[in-house]
């Protein structure tokens, strides 16, 4: 939702090597700088110009750098709002429609709310509207995509959970003196917004409020959690202004201190701190859990438990998840997209394991070209499995958007769940069960 995203020239995995102020300011080499120091150079007043020197993703050593000119502006809240689409899954002569709602953060426009605007923007309101729109189009299942969602407002996590559970507690909080409080569904009398087959898609960057929501869905047996173990951020912070200690006008702007004041816990009493939320069905990911997450930090608070609170879970999903997992394992054996992802992850892990690099630029170029040729071969192997025309060059490959294998697998899994629910709801199945 920011100027760089709207401009579109800055791409994921591009590397920023220099920053300049204005149209003709001198470029400052930022290689080796601390990240927060680089951020301070990039940030600035709205409507001012910043220039970024970029090493494009996949560029060979010694390749020409490019400079992007961006006009600073505020990030628009609506650009970060939840979005929806429909994925179709062909299965046995039928097209199954799976709704997908991507939730990038848990947001709420408190300024509009405090001004009495009943149409204030919020995650829960947007998701509820998107669910209604998807159901009007006719969907067989729903995926809430929380990948890369680092959290946000706690009130939105509890409210969003309330769209899928009848009523009851969502999360427990314990403060620094040991006092435990409970946050319930804030609108217990409202009808559930969606009661069909549900999956929550997460990865290692799903944190905090995302983990509260995913944990509630899992603990209430309301849906299936798919993806990767989440970040493990189960602590509560408060912002403590330091400006109250200012004694002289020139000392203003001391900033604020972020203090950890408590931890939150699932309704089962288990903390999400350190361990995160374990998926019911795990998918491969490029994100290295040994390098990313709360558990890799030396001073992270430990995992612990408190008492379980009273809540009413739904029908246990253990048997259903076992069936879905078996179908998933059988399906991925012959899935070219899935095998492409696994091979790509293996290649990345081999590169991460390298502890030395050559200082000879010719050797580095050869290594890079070999890596890019391997990537081209993997892509063409994938395309051959899908009966698509091969790609002749890396340049063409760089212009293409690869498949979202995790989302496709989640859609296939939720299709299995929808089909299973249809069988269970059939009159003949009920009669056989009674007999």
């Amino acid at each position: 939702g920011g100027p760089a995203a709207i401009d579109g020239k800055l791409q994921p995995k591009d590397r920023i090597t220099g920053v300049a102020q204005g149209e003709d300011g001198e470029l400052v080499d930022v290689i080796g700088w601390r990240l927060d120091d680089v951020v301070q150079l990039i940030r600035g007043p709205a409507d001012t110009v910043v220039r970024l020197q970029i090493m494009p993703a996949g560029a060979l050593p010694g390749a020409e750098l490019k400079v992007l000119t961006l006009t600073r502006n505020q990030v628009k809240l609506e650009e970060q709002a939840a979005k929806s689409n429909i994925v179709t899954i062909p299965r046995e002569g039928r097209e199954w429609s799976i709704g997908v709602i991507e939730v990038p953060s848990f947001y709420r426009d408190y300024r509009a709310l405090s001004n009495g605007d009943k149409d204030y923007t919020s995650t829960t309101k947007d998701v509820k509207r998107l669910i209604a729109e998807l159901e009007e189009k006719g969907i067989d299942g729903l995926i809430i995509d929380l990948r890369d969602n680092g959290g946000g407002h706690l009130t939105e996590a509890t409210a969003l959970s309330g769209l899928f559970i009848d009523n009851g507690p969502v999360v427990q909080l314990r403060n620094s003196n040991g006092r435990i409080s409970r946050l319930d569904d804030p609108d217990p009398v409202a009808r559930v917004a969606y009661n069909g087959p549900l999956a929550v898609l997460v990865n290692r960057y799903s944190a905090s409020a995302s983990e509260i929501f995913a944990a509630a869905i899992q603990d209430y047996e309301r849906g299936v959690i798919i993806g990767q173990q989440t970040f493990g951020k189960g602590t509560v912070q408060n912002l403590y202004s330091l400006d109250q200690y200012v004694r002289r006008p020139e000392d203003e702007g001391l900033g604020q201190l972020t203090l950890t004041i408590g931890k939150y816990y699932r309704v089962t009493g288990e903390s999400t701190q350190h361990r995160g939320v374990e998926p019911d069905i795990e998918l491969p990911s490029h994100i290295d859990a040994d390098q990313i997450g709360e558990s890799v930090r030396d001073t992270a608070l430990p995992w612990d438990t408190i008492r379980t609170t009273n809540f009413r879970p739904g029908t246990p999903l253990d048997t259903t998840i076992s069936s879905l997992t078996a179908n998933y394992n059988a399906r991925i054996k012959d899935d070219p997209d899935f095998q492409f992802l696994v091979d790509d992850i293996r290649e990345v892990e081999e590169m991460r394991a390298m502890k030395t690099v050559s200082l000879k630029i010719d050797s580095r170029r050869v290594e890079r070209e070999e890596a890019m040729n391997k990537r081209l071969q993997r892509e063409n192997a994938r395309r051959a499995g899908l009966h698509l025309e091969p790609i002749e060059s890396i340049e063409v490959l760089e212009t293409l958007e690869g498949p979202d294998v995790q989302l496709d697998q989640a859609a296939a899994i939720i299709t299995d769940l929808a089909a299973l629910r249809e069988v269970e709801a059939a009159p003949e199945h009920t009669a056989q069960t009674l007999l």
Side-chain angles (χ1 to χ4, degrees):
I6 294 171
D7 179 78
K9 295 176 184 176
L10 186 65
Q11 296 296 313
K13 299 184 181 179
D14 284 354
R15 285 159 287 182
I16 299 173
T17 60
V19 181
Q21 310 300 324
E23 297 283 358
D24 52 8
E26 183 179 355
L27 275 167
V28 177
D29 187 323
V30 297
I31 294 176
W33 283 37
R34 284 173 51 91
L35 180 60
D36 50 358
D37 291 334
V38 181
V39 169
Q40 289 303 316
L41 280 186
I42 296 175
R43 284 178 174 169
D47 299 322
T48 61
V49 170
V50 61
R51 294 179 4 256
L52 305 179
Q53 185 182 64
I54 302 298
M55 181 182 294
L60 294 173
E64 182 179 355
L65 304 179
K66 60 181 181 180
V67 177
L68 305 181
T69 300
L70 299 171
T71 301
R72 298 180 176 104
N73 205 338
Q74 291 184 340
V75 175
K76 300 295 189 295
L77 187 62
E78 57 269 22
E79 296 294 338
Q80 293 182 311
K83 300 178 179 63
S84 69
N85 68 295
I86 292 178
V87 176
T88 56
I89 302 293
R91 186 77 61 81
E92 298 178 356
R94 173 180 169 182
E95 290 280 343
W96 296 75
S97 296
I98 305 301
V100 180
I101 298 180
E102 180 185 350
V103 182
S105 67
F106 287 82
Y107 51 87
R108 175 177 287 191
D109 190 346
Y110 277 102
R111 179 176 296 177
L113 179 61
S114 62
N115 290 335
D117 185 357
K118 294 182 179 180
D119 294 325
Y120 66 90
T121 302
S122 82
T123 299
T124 304
K125 292 175 68 173
D126 287 345
V127 170
K128 187 175 183 179
R129 171 179 53 81
L130 293 172
I131 289 173
E133 293 173 358
L134 289 171
E135 291 208 288
E136 281 185 9
K137 297 176 182 178
I139 57 172
D140 300 297
L142 177 65
I143 297 171
I144 302 296
D145 187 351
L146 297 182
R147 289 176 298 173
D148 301 338
N149 183 325
H153 292 289
L154 176 61
T155 48
E156 286 301 316
T158 56
L160 187 66
S161 301
L163 297 183
F164 302 97
I165 61 175
D166 285 329
N167 56 68
V170 175
V171 64
Q172 302 184 81
L173 300 176
R174 184 174 69 179
N175 63 20
S176 55
N177 63 15
R179 183 175 178 272
I180 297 173
S181 58
R182 196 180 83 174
L183 297 181
D184 290 16
D185 174 5
D187 194 2
V189 298
R191 294 179 57 189
V192 169
Y194 177 78
N195 57 14
L198 175 68
V200 181
L201 183 57
V202 294
N203 64 7
R204 191 62 167 170
Y205 289 121
S206 303
S208 195
S210 291
E211 295 173 291
I212 291 174
F213 174 79
I217 297 300
Q218 190 175 58
D219 292 339
Y220 275 88
E221 307 277 3
R222 175 58 191 89
V224 181
I225 311 302
I226 302 173
Q228 189 180 19
Q229 179 188 21
T230 59
F231 192 89
K233 196 270 187 185
T235 55
V236 183
Q237 279 72 42
N238 199 3
L239 302 180
Y240 189 77
S241 175
L242 299 178
D243 288 341
Q244 60 185 300
Y245 299 111
V246 169
R247 296 291 181 264
R248 300 174 302 174
E250 58 266 28
D251 291 336
E252 289 185 3
L254 293 179
Q256 61 192 16
L257 200 60
T258 304
L259 296 177
T260 297
I261 60 171
K263 295 173 72 175
Y264 60 78
Y265 298 80
R266 302 166 71 141
V267 291
T268 60
E270 296 177 285
S271 173
T272 59
Q273 171 66 14
H274 216 276
R275 295 189 181 182
V277 177
E278 294 280 357
D280 299 309
I281 300 176
E282 188 172 359
L283 301 180
S285 172
H286 286 94
I287 306 171
D288 186 354
D290 293 330
Q291 300 293 326
I292 302 295
E294 194 80 3
S295 60
V296 307
R297 301 183 177 183
D298 294 335
T299 57
L301 291 176
W303 178 87
D304 64 345
T305 63
I306 60 174
R307 293 179 60 182
T308 300
T309 190
N310 292 324
F311 73 104
R312 293 198 304 269
T315 304
L317 293 174
D318 294 353
T319 302
T320 298
I321 290 171
S322 295
S323 175
L324 297 177
T325 303
N327 288 345
Y328 160 73
N329 287 331
R331 185 166 47 242
I332 60 177
K333 292 179 181 178
D334 301 316
D335 187 328
D337 283 340
F338 186 88
Q339 297 306 319
F340 171 81
L341 174 61
V342 171
D343 291 341
D344 206 48
I345 292 172
R346 187 181 299 116
E347 184 71 18
V348 170
E349 289 175 346
E350 290 177 2
M351 293 178 65
R352 285 179 181 148
M354 293 176 59
K355 302 301 181 184
T356 61
V357 293
S358 173
L359 296 181
K360 296 180 178 179
I361 195 167
D362 290 339
S363 298
R364 292 289 304 282
R365 284 174 176 156
V366 169
E367 290 172 359
R368 174 66 72 174
E369 287 173 355
E370 289 176 349
M372 296 176 79
N373 285 331
K374 285 183 180 179
R375 180 182 167 199
L376 181 62
Q377 291 170 8
R378 291 196 302 274
E379 171 62 19
N380 281 333
R382 181 187 78 87
R383 298 176 74 84
L386 296 172
H387 307 292
L388 300 174
E389 291 293 323
I391 293 175
E392 295 183 357
S393 67
I394 285 291
E395 289 72 23
V396 175
L397 180 60
E398 293 287 350
T399 65
L400 301 178
E401 185 174 346
D404 189 341
V405 180
Q406 292 179 334
L407 180 59
D408 292 342
Q409 290 299 325
I413 291 169
I414 202 69
T415 299
D416 289 341
L417 179 58
L420 189 61
R421 291 287 182 260
E422 277 196 3
V423 171
E424 292 173 349
E428 59 271 19
H429 182 271
T430 304
Q432 291 172 2
T433 302
L434 291 174
L435 289 173

